[in-house]
Amino acid sequence: MMVESASETIRTTPSNQNGISSLSSQSDGGGGREGGSKGDTNGEISPVDLLHLQQQQALQAARQFLLQQASGLNSPGNELKQSPVQVPVSMAMMSPQMITPQQMQQILSPPQLQALLQQQQALMLQQVTHTHTHSHTHTSWSQSHCSMSGCQLGTKQLAFQQQLIQMQQLQQQHILNLQRQGLVPLQPTATMQSLQQAMCPSDLQQLWKEVSGVQSSEEALKQAEGLDLSTNSSNSTSVFPKAASTHIALHSLANGQSHTPKRDSARLFEWISSFTKADSGDDHVPLYPKGSQAPSSHHEEHASSHPLYGHGECKWPGCEALCEDMGQFIKHLNNEHALDDRSTAQCRVQMQVVQQLEIQLAKESERLQAMMAHLHMRPSEPKPFNQPLNLASSGSLIKRDSEAYPEGLPHPPTSAATPITPLRQGPSVISSSSLHTHSHSHTHGVGPIRRRNSDKYCTPIASELAQNCEFYKNADVRPPFTYASLIRHAILESPDRQLTLNEIYNWFTRKFAYFRRNTATWKNAVRHNLSLHKCFVRVENVKGAVWTVDEVEYQKRRPPKMTGSPTLVKNMISGLGFGSLNASYQAALAESSLSLLNSPSLLTSPASLNMLHVGHDDVSSTVEQVNSNGSCSPTLSPQQYSHQVHVKEEPTELEEDSRPVSLLAGVTHSLPLPSDERDLEEDLPTEELE
DNA sequence: ATGGAACTAAACACTT
DNA sequence: CAAGTGTTTAGTTCCA
């Protein structure tokens, strides 16, 4: 009650134009939260304490990045002044726990946060495991993990599949991140090696540690033990640099608050400078292409190309400045993206994300190897990136897979179970979250649903939810979806595609910690949306009224145009050379089949890949449209959901069986499509979300 | 500058 | 009568 009113007040505070204010405005909410991730460290060093410490470190590091970035991005005048609830940066920096997950989310995109969270979760899990297993210094973690528990085959299969999924997601996220940053040219078949080469991981790792002070104890342990974490790559030890080089930074950070962002900047400056100057013989792609020397590595084929330049635009996160030619671009690059605080912060955030992903990728990769080995599978599915994607959610796929192959070994991922939600990091990675969202997303203190932008060119609600469901469930963060999207999602997720109002309420509170507060507000909003939007149909039931979704209306509500940045859309369409296909289909195709599109002949620039993320808050909608008649009619969408609901008056023009597969068949490499129409649903089944 | 969409708030009516 | 549900209106903000 007190909290509610307080947060309402905050939210409606006029002063909310920047990340800082919104960030700080939540500090009170976060502080009072019962959140499970709050770490309290006592003197003891139990694994749990260690874990907490790591989390705090990660949070602190992230906060420093964010604050730095925010301060770098805030235009000098107008923004920092107001906001009664604003917490001074210095204060926010002082207490590591003052940045709550939702605050981070406001600045980092969900994918970025997800990366952090995943990393932390992985650490958590592995931490615990390590306490049991790390005495076997020569046994890989995964092997011991797998074999030590006499787990049943079914469990193993499930875990295995989840591993695959996780790995693929990670890898794709990683790739996308790199591509987005222009750090790596689009190479769909990129392997770990190429990634590592591109990123010069040891440098990154070192930097990461320098700036964040986060080092997993597991990693430290393995370093100490000289273990090669990445068994699938001969030179992959480079992922983890020598431990020695990291200690100083670690300590300096651990010493605490005196480590100001400025200092970090300076440190980073030095690092970057050495990086760009020395060039140390490695053929890594420079993170910081200072000057015109395009990397001469195999990544760059023409002298006229530059990882940060494409389609006449500067690809620096959040920039998009038009440059007619390379010379102009170089000039622009040197002028606008010189080695300053801002660029440093941008670079740093991205590095953090990449680093997290990289670390976890290596770990998951190893784990996968061990799991496969344990299950006597052919070692390695070397290129998960090329595996066919499936539109269905990972959850449903997992389920189906285990159903379809209940007693056998998990069939190889190529057969289908390669659910990916690769695009969810779309614009939300660095450019949008760190820069764009600063400019327009934090319009309200609490990260209002209002950010339609997220709805539009962030991720489909399903994949977003799927990937971040734990986050939303536990963190008091407002989900970046519209009420309508959420309501629809809730309804469609229900077994009967219909919910009572109260059930909708419950879904909200169940799925989102945020909606456990401010009940009056959001419930009112839910009711308002139900009434307002024609896509929600009230059906009188025996025991009251239930709400259903009229998909046709829902599609109408948001015309199937690409809703992302027009320029991006344009880029994508032209870049893909799919001019004849409708944008929605392209988006759906892209979203559903990154692997296919990842062919260099189709995707030529990071921007076009970026684009693929844009433009729909809901992948199923788009897909359905595409599938409805195979000709991508923008106005017709199959009533996949509605015709199940007894309400529909729908002119569904697709018959039951002709439904989905047409165009996508070639893309998805066809899993046996279950008759369940939820197959195409964008989201995870409930059990996956829970 | 403008219109549309989303959000918030609130008033009101109806039902349980 | 209170609470829940549903409808409607108004104002604000953001975005294209």
Side-chain angles (χ1 to χ4, degrees):
Chain A
M1 308 62 212
M2 295 278 291
V3 180
E4 287 184 24
S5 57
S7 82
E8 283 307 310
T9 309
I10 289 166
R11 177 143 20 110
T12 51
T13 321
S15 63
N16 38 29
Q17 295 293 338
N18 61 39
I20 292 294
S21 75
S22 66
L23 191 150
S24 42
S25 71
Q26 293 181 38
S27 56
D28 56 345
R33 210 163 27 86
E34 70 286 354
S37 64
K38 240 172 108 171
D40 24 90
T41 52
N42 309 336
E44 308 273 345
I45 309 232
S46 70
V48 176
D49 289 336
L50 207 52
L51 177 68
H52 286 161
L53 185 60
Q54 286 173 0
Q55 289 177 323
Q56 287 184 15
Q57 287 175 333
L59 278 178
Q60 184 168 7
R63 175 170 39 71
Q64 288 185 353
F65 288 149
L66 300 182
L67 289 171
Q68 260 188 280
Q69 190 165 42
S71 63
L73 296 177
N74 282 333
S75 62
N78 33 359
E79 295 157 330
L80 280 176
K81 36 164 188 216
Q82 15 34 17
S83 182
V85 292
Q86 178 176 341
V87 173
V89 170
S90 56
M91 181 174 170
M93 296 197 49
M94 283 201 280
S95 52
Q97 295 175 352
M98 287 205 60
I99 280 213
T100 63
Q102 74 258 39
Q103 289 166 347
M104 289 173 59
Q105 192 197 35
Q106 305 252 317
I107 303 173
L108 289 178
S109 64
Q112 288 176 301
L113 287 167
Q114 188 70 16
L116 289 174
L117 285 178
Q118 283 178 347
Q119 172 65 10
Q120 294 305 313
Q121 288 167 356
L123 289 177
M124 191 181 315
L125 287 173
Q126 296 172 7
Q127 199 72 55
V128 172
T129 310
H130 250 292
T131 63
H132 300 294
T133 62
H134 79 278
S135 57
H136 312 286
T137 52
H138 298 296
T139 308
S140 83
W141 173 86
S142 0
Q143 275 177 323
S144 61
H145 180 65
C146 262
S147 54
M148 74 179 202
S149 58
C151 49
Q152 310 224 318
L153 192 54
T155 311
K156 287 181 189 171
Q157 288 173 15
L158 193 61
F160 172 78
Q161 286 164 355
Q162 285 170 340
Q163 280 301 312
L164 290 176
I165 289 156
Q166 229 180 336
M167 257 207 62
Q168 286 154 8
Q169 288 177 347
L170 276 169
Q171 287 177 321
Q172 294 207 358
Q173 283 183 355
H174 194 166
I175 284 285
L176 288 173
N177 279 335
L178 299 183
Q179 288 167 346
R180 183 169 308 104
Q181 288 303 95
L183 295 174
V184 165
L186 275 175
Q187 285 182 347
T189 58
T191 61
M192 276 287 291
Q193 272 118 321
S194 66
L195 283 181
Q196 290 162 3
Q197 287 166 2
M199 293 303 298
C200 191
S202 59
D203 285 339
L204 274 177
Q205 176 79 3
Q206 180 167 352
L207 175 69
W208 159 242
K209 286 168 182 167
E210 288 225 1
V211 298
S212 69
V214 172
Q215 181 187 35
S216 78
S217 64
E218 175 186 1
E219 186 188 319
L221 185 66
K222 292 199 173 174
Q223 287 170 359
E225 294 169 356
L227 284 179
D228 182 352
L229 273 181
S230 313
T231 58
N232 60 347
S233 157
S234 60
N235 62 349
S236 58
T237 43
S238 62
V239 172
F240 299 102
K242 298 142 238 99
S245 61
T246 68
H247 288 159
I248 303 159
L250 209 55
H251 290 159
S252 66
L253 269 179
N255 284 348
Q257 330 318 87
S258 66
H259 205 82
T260 66
K262 270 287 181 218
R263 267 207 184 138
D264 276 346
S265 280
R267 195 184 280 267
L268 186 61
F269 284 1
E270 292 170 18
W271 180 81
I272 287 172
S273 299
S274 65
F275 191 56
T276 49
K277 274 188 230 146
D279 209 357
S280 65
D282 291 358
D283 62 348
H284 53 257
V285 175
L287 282 176
Y288 226 95
K290 192 176 174 94
S292 53
Q293 322 87 322
S296 58
S297 71
H298 49 272
H299 298 302
E300 292 300 325
E301 271 138 16
H302 331 90
S304 62
S305 70
H306 189 291
L308 287 173
Y309 180 63
H311 289 94
E313 281 184 358
C314 173
K315 299 301 180 190
W316 189 273
C319 180
E320 296 184 26
L322 295 176
C323 303
E324 287 176 4
D325 54 18
M326 197 57 164
Q328 194 179 341
F329 163 73
I330 295 300
K331 207 171 293 179
H332 161 82
L333 197 60
N334 288 329
N335 289 339
E336 301 299 321
H337 308 301
L339 198 53
D340 57 12
D341 282 347
R342 175 188 158 126
S343 300
T344 303
Q346 292 170 338
C347 188
R348 184 180 295 183
V349 170
Q350 183 62 14
M351 281 190 285
Q352 185 184 24
V353 171
V354 169
Q355 192 63 42
Q356 293 281 359
L357 291 171
E358 197 160 273
I359 291 170
Q360 190 168 352
L361 177 58
K363 290 175 182 173
E364 299 297 340
S365 181
E366 185 201 18
R367 195 192 302 187
L368 174 62
Q369 295 282 329
M371 291 170 76
M372 293 175 96
H374 175 69
L375 297 176
H376 310 294
M377 295 183 64
R378 289 237 319 271
S380 111
E381 196 59 43
K383 300 199 236 170
F385 290 20
N386 288 339
Q387 290 166 4
L389 304 175
N390 196 294
L391 286 176
S393 69
S394 54
S396 53
L397 274 179
I398 287 172
K399 194 166 144 206
R400 257 174 223 122
D401 257 27
S402 50
E403 284 164 1
Y405 304 85
E407 71 279 5
L409 289 173
H411 58 288
T414 45
S415 70
T418 327
I420 295 290
T421 43
L423 304 166
R424 52 167 318 310
Q425 34 188 292
S428 46
V429 176
I430 214 172
S431 58
S432 76
S433 74
S434 305
L435 303 175
H436 294 163
T437 53
H438 266 289
S439 60
H440 58 65
S441 216
H442 302 125
T443 61
H444 293 276
V446 181
I449 287 182
R450 170 178 294 287
R451 2 168 172 167
R452 288 173 301 180
N453 57 323
S454 313
D455 200 23
K456 286 195 261 189
Y457 48 86
C458 233
T459 70
I461 182 172
S463 56
E464 165 75 21
L465 263 186
Q467 291 209 352
N468 298 308
C469 69
E470 280 304 319
F471 176 77
Y472 290 125
K473 209 189 295 182
N474 297 316
D476 192 10
V477 181
R478 186 158 195 167
F481 311 111
T482 63
Y483 280 115
S485 300
L486 288 172
I487 294 169
R488 171 178 172 271
H489 191 78
I491 293 174
L492 295 182
E493 197 182 86
S494 69
D496 300 327
R497 311 285 193 269
Q498 58 180 33
L499 288 178
T500 66
L501 180 63
N502 201 43
E503 288 168 337
I504 295 175
Y505 289 161
N506 291 337
W507 185 87
F508 271 66
T509 51
R510 201 170 63 242
K511 300 292 185 190
F512 303 96
Y514 176 83
F515 292 121
R516 286 162 211 156
R517 303 190 300 129
N518 308 323
T519 57
T521 298
W522 67 260
K523 283 183 177 177
N524 186 23
V526 166
R527 290 197 306 273
H528 169 77
N529 274 267
L530 284 171
S531 288
L532 189 67
H533 298 304
K534 281 185 281 186
C535 58
F536 299 120
V537 181
R538 185 175 175 274
V539 181
E540 284 294 342
N541 214 356
V542 224
K543 40 178 207 171
V546 292
W547 288 93
T548 62
V549 177
D550 183 338
E551 276 299 311
V552 168
E553 281 299 330
Y554 188 85
Q555 302 305 328
K556 284 191 206 158
R557 187 180 68 94
R558 200 186 304 257
K561 58 173 185 181
M562 292 292 281
T563 48
S565 148
T567 60
L568 290 182
V569 172
K570 198 178 55 186
N571 279 351
M572 171 186 145
I573 292 174
S574 60
L576 290 175
F578 284 168
S580 60
L581 293 183
N582 118 346
S584 293
Y585 172 60
Q586 292 178 30
L589 187 63
E591 184 134 37
S592 61
S593 61
L594 186 60
S595 63
L596 186 67
L597 291 178
N598 254 348
S599 132
S601 61
L602 295 180
L603 271 183
T604 57
S605 82
S608 48
L609 184 58
N610 241 352
M611 265 358 292
L612 302 181
H613 312 245
V614 177
H616 38 280
D617 61 350
D618 204 278
V619 83
S620 71
S621 317
T622 317
V623 170
E624 288 161 17
Q625 291 164 13
V626 170
N627 288 336
S628 68
N629 52 11
S631 61
C632 316
S633 159
T635 56
L636 296 172
S637 66
Q639 294 296 305
Q640 273 189 263
Y641 305 118
S642 3
H643 66 48
Q644 254 219 346
V645 175
H646 26 292
V647 196
K648 290 304 110 186
E649 67 279 348
E650 270 337 309
T652 302
E653 62 161 66
L654 93 147
E655 54 255 51
E656 298 277 307
D657 296 330
S658 67
R659 199 199 306 136
V661 241
S662 51
L663 281 178
L664 292 172
V667 170
T668 58
H669 294 246
S670 64
L671 252 207
L673 278 174
S675 52
D676 182 6
E677 73 281 353
R678 297 192 68 175
D679 190 39
L680 283 184
E681 222 168 302
E682 70 271 16
D683 40 51
L684 291 178
T686 317
E687 55 276 17
E688 194 63 19
L689 286 171
E690 304 280 37

PDB file of all heavy atoms in Angstrom, chain A residues 571-590:
ATOM      1  N   ASN A 571      16.391  -1.626 -44.801  1.00  0.00           N
ATOM      2  CA  ASN A 571      17.650  -2.329 -44.927  1.00  0.00           C
ATOM      3  C   ASN A 571      17.438  -3.817 -45.014  1.00  0.00           C
ATOM      4  O   ASN A 571      18.013  -4.500 -45.831  1.00  0.00           O
ATOM      5  CB  ASN A 571      18.538  -2.039 -43.718  1.00  0.00           C
ATOM      6  CG  ASN A 571      19.221  -0.727 -43.865  1.00  0.00           C
ATOM      7  OD1 ASN A 571      19.151  -0.133 -44.927  1.00  0.00           O
ATOM      8  ND2 ASN A 571      19.863  -0.280 -42.815  1.00  0.00           N
ATOM      9  N   MET A 572      16.594  -4.248 -44.148  1.00  0.00           N
ATOM     10  CA  MET A 572      16.412  -5.677 -44.094  1.00  0.00           C
ATOM     11  C   MET A 572      15.829  -6.187 -45.379  1.00  0.00           C
ATOM     12  O   MET A 572      16.291  -7.158 -45.959  1.00  0.00           O
ATOM     13  CB  MET A 572      15.478  -6.018 -42.948  1.00  0.00           C
ATOM     14  CG  MET A 572      15.079  -7.464 -42.975  1.00  0.00           C
ATOM     15  SD  MET A 572      13.876  -7.794 -41.737  1.00  0.00           S
ATOM     16  CE  MET A 572      12.902  -9.002 -42.603  1.00  0.00           C
ATOM     17  N   ILE A 573      14.831  -5.501 -45.839  1.00  0.00           N
ATOM     18  CA  ILE A 573      14.168  -5.993 -47.031  1.00  0.00           C
ATOM     19  C   ILE A 573      15.125  -5.987 -48.208  1.00  0.00           C
ATOM     20  O   ILE A 573      15.270  -6.965 -48.921  1.00  0.00           O
ATOM     21  CB  ILE A 573      12.931  -5.127 -47.332  1.00  0.00           C
ATOM     22  CG1 ILE A 573      11.904  -5.371 -46.228  1.00  0.00           C
ATOM     23  CG2 ILE A 573      12.369  -5.473 -48.679  1.00  0.00           C
ATOM     24  CD1 ILE A 573      10.707  -4.492 -46.322  1.00  0.00           C
ATOM     25  N   SER A 574      15.768  -4.878 -48.348  1.00  0.00           N
ATOM     26  CA  SER A 574      16.677  -4.824 -49.476  1.00  0.00           C
ATOM     27  C   SER A 574      17.865  -5.739 -49.253  1.00  0.00           C
ATOM     28  O   SER A 574      18.320  -6.419 -50.155  1.00  0.00           O
ATOM     29  CB  SER A 574      17.141  -3.393 -49.682  1.00  0.00           C
ATOM     30  OG  SER A 574      17.802  -2.934 -48.527  1.00  0.00           O
ATOM     31  N   GLY A 575      18.307  -5.737 -48.051  1.00  0.00           N
ATOM     32  CA  GLY A 575      19.487  -6.532 -47.758  1.00  0.00           C
ATOM     33  C   GLY A 575      19.248  -8.019 -47.941  1.00  0.00           C
ATOM     34  O   GLY A 575      20.126  -8.747 -48.370  1.00  0.00           O
ATOM     35  N   LEU A 576      18.073  -8.409 -47.659  1.00  0.00           N
ATOM     36  CA  LEU A 576      17.798  -9.819 -47.771  1.00  0.00           C
ATOM     37  C   LEU A 576      17.527 -10.238 -49.193  1.00  0.00           C
ATOM     38  O   LEU A 576      17.570 -11.408 -49.509  1.00  0.00           O
ATOM     39  CB  LEU A 576      16.597 -10.179 -46.906  1.00  0.00           C
ATOM     40  CG  LEU A 576      16.846 -10.107 -45.424  1.00  0.00           C
ATOM     41  CD1 LEU A 576      15.562 -10.351 -44.680  1.00  0.00           C
ATOM     42  CD2 LEU A 576      17.885 -11.115 -45.031  1.00  0.00           C
ATOM     43  N   GLY A 577      17.228  -9.285 -49.976  1.00  0.00           N
ATOM     44  CA  GLY A 577      16.897  -9.640 -51.328  1.00  0.00           C
ATOM     45  C   GLY A 577      15.606 -10.419 -51.415  1.00  0.00           C
ATOM     46  O   GLY A 577      15.393 -11.216 -52.293  1.00  0.00           O
ATOM     47  N   PHE A 578      14.763 -10.156 -50.471  1.00  0.00           N
ATOM     48  CA  PHE A 578      13.480 -10.837 -50.486  1.00  0.00           C
ATOM     49  C   PHE A 578      12.391  -9.861 -50.867  1.00  0.00           C
ATOM     50  O   PHE A 578      11.294  -9.913 -50.365  1.00  0.00           O
ATOM     51  CB  PHE A 578      13.157 -11.391 -49.099  1.00  0.00           C
ATOM     52  CG  PHE A 578      13.920 -12.612 -48.780  1.00  0.00           C
ATOM     53  CD1 PHE A 578      13.943 -13.101 -47.499  1.00  0.00           C
ATOM     54  CD2 PHE A 578      14.630 -13.282 -49.765  1.00  0.00           C
ATOM     55  CE1 PHE A 578      14.642 -14.256 -47.196  1.00  0.00           C
ATOM     56  CE2 PHE A 578      15.327 -14.430 -49.463  1.00  0.00           C
ATOM     57  CZ  PHE A 578      15.337 -14.915 -48.180  1.00  0.00           C
ATOM     58  N   GLY A 579      12.747  -9.012 -51.729  1.00  0.00           N
ATOM     59  CA  GLY A 579      11.847  -7.917 -52.017  1.00  0.00           C
ATOM     60  C   GLY A 579      10.422  -8.325 -52.291  1.00  0.00           C
ATOM     61  O   GLY A 579       9.493  -7.593 -51.997  1.00  0.00           O
ATOM     62  N   SER A 580      10.276  -9.476 -52.812  1.00  0.00           N
ATOM     63  CA  SER A 580       8.924  -9.840 -53.178  1.00  0.00           C
ATOM     64  C   SER A 580       8.126 -10.375 -52.007  1.00  0.00           C
ATOM     65  O   SER A 580       6.927 -10.489 -52.075  1.00  0.00           O
ATOM     66  CB  SER A 580       8.964 -10.898 -54.274  1.00  0.00           C
ATOM     67  OG  SER A 580       9.657 -12.012 -53.772  1.00  0.00           O
ATOM     68  N   LEU A 581       8.822 -10.667 -50.966  1.00  0.00           N
ATOM     69  CA  LEU A 581       8.097 -11.203 -49.826  1.00  0.00           C
ATOM     70  C   LEU A 581       7.650 -10.089 -48.920  1.00  0.00           C
ATOM     71  O   LEU A 581       8.285  -9.057 -48.808  1.00  0.00           O
ATOM     72  CB  LEU A 581       8.999 -12.153 -49.036  1.00  0.00           C
ATOM     73  CG  LEU A 581       9.362 -13.413 -49.774  1.00  0.00           C
ATOM     74  CD1 LEU A 581      10.188 -14.288 -48.870  1.00  0.00           C
ATOM     75  CD2 LEU A 581       8.114 -14.126 -50.225  1.00  0.00           C
ATOM     76  N   ASN A 582       6.605 -10.359 -48.306  1.00  0.00           N
ATOM     77  CA  ASN A 582       6.122  -9.322 -47.427  1.00  0.00           C
ATOM     78  C   ASN A 582       6.957  -9.276 -46.157  1.00  0.00           C
ATOM     79  O   ASN A 582       7.596 -10.219 -45.746  1.00  0.00           O
ATOM     80  CB  ASN A 582       4.624  -9.535 -47.225  1.00  0.00           C
ATOM     81  CG  ASN A 582       4.232  -9.799 -45.827  1.00  0.00           C
ATOM     82  OD1 ASN A 582       5.062 -10.081 -44.963  1.00  0.00           O
ATOM     83  ND2 ASN A 582       2.974  -9.711 -45.587  1.00  0.00           N
ATOM     84  N   ALA A 583       6.955  -8.130 -45.620  1.00  0.00           N
ATOM     85  CA  ALA A 583       7.880  -7.868 -44.523  1.00  0.00           C
ATOM     86  C   ALA A 583       7.621  -8.771 -43.336  1.00  0.00           C
ATOM     87  O   ALA A 583       8.554  -9.235 -42.680  1.00  0.00           O
ATOM     88  CB  ALA A 583       7.766  -6.411 -44.104  1.00  0.00           C
ATOM     89  N   SER A 584       6.382  -9.006 -43.112  1.00  0.00           N
ATOM     90  CA  SER A 584       6.081  -9.850 -41.966  1.00  0.00           C
ATOM     91  C   SER A 584       6.644 -11.233 -42.159  1.00  0.00           C
ATOM     92  O   SER A 584       7.192 -11.844 -41.254  1.00  0.00           O
ATOM     93  CB  SER A 584       4.565  -9.947 -41.788  1.00  0.00           C
ATOM     94  OG  SER A 584       4.064  -8.712 -41.424  1.00  0.00           O
ATOM     95  N   TYR A 585       6.485 -11.669 -43.372  1.00  0.00           N
ATOM     96  CA  TYR A 585       6.995 -13.000 -43.611  1.00  0.00           C
ATOM     97  C   TYR A 585       8.495 -13.024 -43.462  1.00  0.00           C
ATOM     98  O   TYR A 585       9.082 -13.956 -42.908  1.00  0.00           O
ATOM     99  CB  TYR A 585       6.602 -13.482 -44.997  1.00  0.00           C
ATOM    100  CG  TYR A 585       7.281 -14.776 -45.315  1.00  0.00           C
ATOM    101  CD1 TYR A 585       7.045 -15.878 -44.508  1.00  0.00           C
ATOM    102  CD2 TYR A 585       8.176 -14.878 -46.358  1.00  0.00           C
ATOM    103  CE1 TYR A 585       7.666 -17.072 -44.766  1.00  0.00           C
ATOM    104  CE2 TYR A 585       8.809 -16.064 -46.621  1.00  0.00           C
ATOM    105  CZ  TYR A 585       8.551 -17.169 -45.823  1.00  0.00           C
ATOM    106  OH  TYR A 585       9.181 -18.336 -46.071  1.00  0.00           O
ATOM    107  N   GLN A 586       9.083 -11.995 -43.959  1.00  0.00           N
ATOM    108  CA  GLN A 586      10.529 -11.950 -43.815  1.00  0.00           C
ATOM    109  C   GLN A 586      10.918 -11.967 -42.356  1.00  0.00           C
ATOM    110  O   GLN A 586      11.840 -12.669 -41.944  1.00  0.00           O
ATOM    111  CB  GLN A 586      11.083 -10.684 -44.465  1.00  0.00           C
ATOM    112  CG  GLN A 586      10.924 -10.711 -45.960  1.00  0.00           C
ATOM    113  CD  GLN A 586      11.423  -9.423 -46.579  1.00  0.00           C
ATOM    114  OE1 GLN A 586      12.326  -8.796 -46.048  1.00  0.00           O
ATOM    115  NE2 GLN A 586      10.823  -9.032 -47.675  1.00  0.00           N
ATOM    116  N   ALA A 587      10.186 -11.209 -41.636  1.00  0.00           N
ATOM    117  CA  ALA A 587      10.517 -11.166 -40.217  1.00  0.00           C
ATOM    118  C   ALA A 587      10.308 -12.522 -39.586  1.00  0.00           C
ATOM    119  O   ALA A 587      11.130 -13.013 -38.825  1.00  0.00           O
ATOM    120  CB  ALA A 587       9.655 -10.123 -39.519  1.00  0.00           C
ATOM    121  N   ALA A 588       9.196 -13.102 -39.942  1.00  0.00           N
ATOM    122  CA  ALA A 588       8.904 -14.402 -39.365  1.00  0.00           C
ATOM    123  C   ALA A 588       9.944 -15.410 -39.796  1.00  0.00           C
ATOM    124  O   ALA A 588      10.445 -16.205 -39.005  1.00  0.00           O
ATOM    125  CB  ALA A 588       7.520 -14.868 -39.806  1.00  0.00           C
ATOM    126  N   LEU A 589      10.233 -15.341 -41.051  1.00  0.00           N
ATOM    127  CA  LEU A 589      11.216 -16.252 -41.583  1.00  0.00           C
ATOM    128  C   LEU A 589      12.535 -16.059 -40.869  1.00  0.00           C
ATOM    129  O   LEU A 589      13.182 -17.014 -40.433  1.00  0.00           O
ATOM    130  CB  LEU A 589      11.373 -15.989 -43.069  1.00  0.00           C
ATOM    131  CG  LEU A 589      12.242 -16.961 -43.831  1.00  0.00           C
ATOM    132  CD1 LEU A 589      11.613 -18.340 -43.771  1.00  0.00           C
ATOM    133  CD2 LEU A 589      12.397 -16.508 -45.250  1.00  0.00           C
ATOM    134  N   ALA A 590      12.858 -14.817 -40.774  1.00  0.00           N
ATOM    135  CA  ALA A 590      14.127 -14.519 -40.132  1.00  0.00           C
ATOM    136  C   ALA A 590      14.109 -15.013 -38.708  1.00  0.00           C
ATOM    137  O   ALA A 590      15.053 -15.644 -38.242  1.00  0.00           O
ATOM    138  CB  ALA A 590      14.376 -13.028 -40.152  1.00  0.00           C
TER     139      ALA A 590
END
